[in-house]
């Protein structure tokens, strides 16, 4: 018998042009988890190729995500930081999970429907099956917790379903092989970590749309490589409504732009929306936007400077990823040795 140790896994796809939504929704939350859990943070480059990637651009984007992790405060000595493709067991376990998961489960994934649209017959098989790879990413390390945004909760539910089905389907073999379990469970039923006032950051031009690198307007997002001037200008030009800020959170209902900007202020200052409104309620945007711009510059500009410094030294980033890959690979291979034995592969 054993008890799963508290371990966090999270990955970010290297799709290029990291923005404020990536930072507040994920990367910023990685840092304090180092104090409470074992932490494994991955650049999921295998997920990235579910759609076509220009190889040199993929390499640059992979290093950019790693640089963002480090610049935000992730310590590669305390955490494992690596790129997914260095650990081949991700693909191996994903195939096992392809054979555990059901087609109907995959077909219900709303992100696939959103990304494929009416073109579902012509997208890659990888795009359809990648939630199985995501489950493998998490369960390969027997992660007990995953920090997720609202748009990833469905995929984590699938991960939990796959873990439960594997544990059930192979219960007799798990017992017979004598591998370590937690009350008979080989894989944990991973729990989500959803916290903070701004887990879903919206466009600065339209508060009803998620902040995205694919938006044609550069003014819709703050890039993590933007300098101080660009950050301040984008905040000050952000779309707002004419009303003053409300005195309580209920007053943000039906005001998506106001809700988004207050949420960004709250997340950047580690406060709640209510606390922000206690300070700024009743004031106009002429007071609030400059304060938000100053805060955003103070938090984000030093990180952008550090990212640029790291990106000018790719060998250092690659060394971090190599070291992390070796450490991750050791954990991954131990899991896969047990999985191979459980499912009946002869080695």
């Amino acid at each position: 018998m054993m008890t799963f140790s508290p371990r966090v896994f999270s990955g970010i796809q290297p799709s290029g042009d990291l923005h404020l939504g990536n930072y507040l929704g994920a990367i910023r939350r990685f840092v304090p988890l180092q104090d409470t859990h074992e932490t494994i943070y991955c650049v999921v480059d295998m997920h990235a190729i579910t759609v076509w990637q220009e190889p040199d651009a993929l390499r640059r984007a992979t290093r950019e995500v790693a640089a963002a992790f480090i610049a935000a405060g992730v310590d590669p000595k305390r955490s494992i930081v690596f790129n997914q493709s260095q650990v081949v067991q991700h693909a191996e376990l994903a195939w096992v999970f392809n054979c555990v998961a059901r087609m109907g489960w995959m077909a219900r994934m709303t992100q696939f429907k959103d990304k494929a649209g009416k073109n579902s017959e012509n997208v890659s098989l990888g795009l359809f099956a990648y939630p199985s790879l995501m489950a493998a990413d998490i369960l390969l390390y027997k992660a007990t917790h995953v920090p997720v945004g609202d748009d990833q909760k469905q995929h984590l539910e699938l991960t939990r379903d796959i873990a439960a089905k594997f544990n059930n389907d192979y219960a007799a073999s798990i017992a017979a092989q004598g591998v370590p379990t937690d009350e008979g469970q080989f894989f944990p039923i991973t729990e989500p970590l959803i916290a903070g006032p701004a887990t879903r950051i919206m466009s600065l031009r339209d508060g009803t749309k998620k902040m995205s690198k694919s938006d044609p307007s550069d003014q819709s997002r703050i890039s993590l490589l933007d300098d101080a001037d660009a950050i301040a200008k984008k905040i000050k030009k952000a779309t707002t409504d004419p009303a003053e800020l409300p005195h309580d959170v209920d007053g943000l209902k039906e005001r998506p732009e106001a809700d988004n900007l207050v949420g960004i202020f709250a997340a950047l200052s580690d406060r709640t929306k209510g606390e922000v409104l206690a300070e700024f309620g009743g004031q106009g945007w002429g007071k609030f936007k400059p304060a938000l711009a100053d805060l955003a510059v103070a938090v984000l500009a030093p990180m952008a400077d550090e990212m640029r410094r790291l990106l000018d030294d790719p060998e250092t980033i690659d060394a971090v990823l190599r070291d992390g890959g070796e450490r991750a690979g050791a954990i991954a291979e131990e899991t896969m040795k047990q999985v191979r034995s459980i499912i009946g592969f002869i080695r």
Side-chain angles (χ1 to χ4, degrees):
M1 298 293 292
M2 54 85 77
T3 301
F4 295 117
S5 61
R7 179 179 285 164
V8 164
F9 177 93
S10 192
I12 291 185
Q13 194 168 147
S15 54
D17 195 18
L18 289 173
H19 54 68
L20 181 65
N22 303 123
Y23 175 62
L24 292 180
I27 298 170
R28 183 179 176 89
R29 299 161 63 199
F30 293 175
V31 178
L33 290 170
Q34 297 177 115
D35 297 327
T36 55
H37 297 72
E38 294 178 50
T39 44
I40 301 175
Y41 298 128
C42 182
V43 187
V44 289
D45 49 359
M46 292 168 66
H47 284 290
I49 65 168
T50 56
V51 296
W52 168 252
Q53 301 290 331
E54 198 282 317
D56 285 340
L58 179 58
R59 280 184 276 269
R60 285 195 299 273
T62 298
R63 292 183 178 117
E64 182 183 326
V65 174
F69 287 166
I70 298 166
V74 172
D75 182 349
K77 292 183 172 62
R78 297 174 65 197
S79 298
I80 294 176
V81 177
F82 72 109
N83 57 303
Q84 182 187 26
S85 60
Q86 291 204 58
V87 180
V88 297
Q89 291 87 349
H90 284 257
E92 185 180 5
L93 186 57
W95 176 254
V96 174
F97 287 169
N98 281 344
C99 301
V100 171
R102 306 291 92 179
M103 289 286 289
W105 298 0
M106 297 295 185
R108 288 194 293 270
M109 294 293 105
T110 56
Q111 274 208 353
F112 172 77
K113 295 175 184 176
D114 292 344
K115 290 183 178 181
K118 297 178 180 178
N119 196 37
S120 61
E121 294 295 319
N122 293 318
V123 298
S124 74
L125 178 60
L127 187 63
F128 181 75
Y130 92 94
S132 182
L133 176 59
M134 182 177 172
D137 298 338
I138 296 164
L139 296 174
L140 189 58
Y141 304 100
K142 299 186 179 178
T144 56
H145 295 84
V146 175
V148 294
D150 292 339
D151 58 343
Q152 290 294 331
K153 286 191 289 186
Q154 189 185 33
H155 286 156
L156 185 58
E157 283 299 320
L158 178 68
T159 298
R160 290 161 58 88
D161 289 343
I162 289 174
K165 191 171 189 303
F166 184 97
N167 291 340
N168 181 70
D169 289 353
Y170 290 102
S173 183
I174 290 168
Q177 295 298 321
V179 296
T181 65
D182 187 338
E183 298 183 355
Q185 294 187 111
F186 177 73
F187 287 121
I189 307 302
T190 308
E191 295 290 338
L193 291 172
I194 302 172
T199 57
R200 188 176 176 87
I201 305 301
M202 311 307 281
S203 165
L204 297 180
R205 308 300 288 172
D206 181 349
T208 66
K209 296 180 180 178
K210 188 177 177 182
M211 186 175 286
S212 171
K213 76 179 185 70
S214 61
D215 192 306
S217 172
D218 184 59
Q219 297 300 308
S220 69
R221 60 191 169 272
I222 295 175
S223 167
L224 294 191
L225 289 171
D226 280 344
D227 61 22
D229 286 344
I231 294 167
K233 286 177 182 176
K234 288 178 180 181
I235 292 290
K236 290 173 182 177
K237 290 182 178 179
T239 301
T240 54
D241 55 39
E244 63 187 21
L245 284 162
H247 289 280
D248 56 46
V249 175
D250 285 344
L252 294 173
K253 293 177 180 177
E254 310 303 326
R255 296 181 64 185
E257 283 80 18
D259 185 47
N260 188 42
L261 293 181
V262 170
I264 290 171
F265 196 113
L268 287 173
S269 59
D270 292 319
R271 298 158 73 185
T272 66
K273 291 181 184 180
E275 289 169 338
V276 173
L277 292 175
E279 179 180 350
F280 291 98
Q283 297 186 33
W285 295 106
K287 293 276 189 178
F288 182 79
K289 277 188 174 182
L292 176 56
D294 289 345
L295 174 62
V297 167
V299 173
L300 299 174
M303 190 170 75
D305 290 342
E306 178 63 5
M307 283 181 65
R308 282 189 285 270
R309 186 191 71 78
L310 288 165
L311 290 168
D312 285 340
D313 184 14
E315 290 182 2
T316 295
I317 295 176
D318 292 356
V320 167
L321 295 174
R322 253 192 322 273
D323 175 69
E326 290 172 1
R327 292 157 62 201
I331 301 170
E333 179 55 20
E334 185 59 32
T335 299
M336 284 312 304
K337 283 179 181 177
Q338 296 166 349
V339 169
R340 295 178 199 122
S341 177
I342 289 167
I343 64 180
F345 289 167
I346 296 173
R347 301 291 291 179

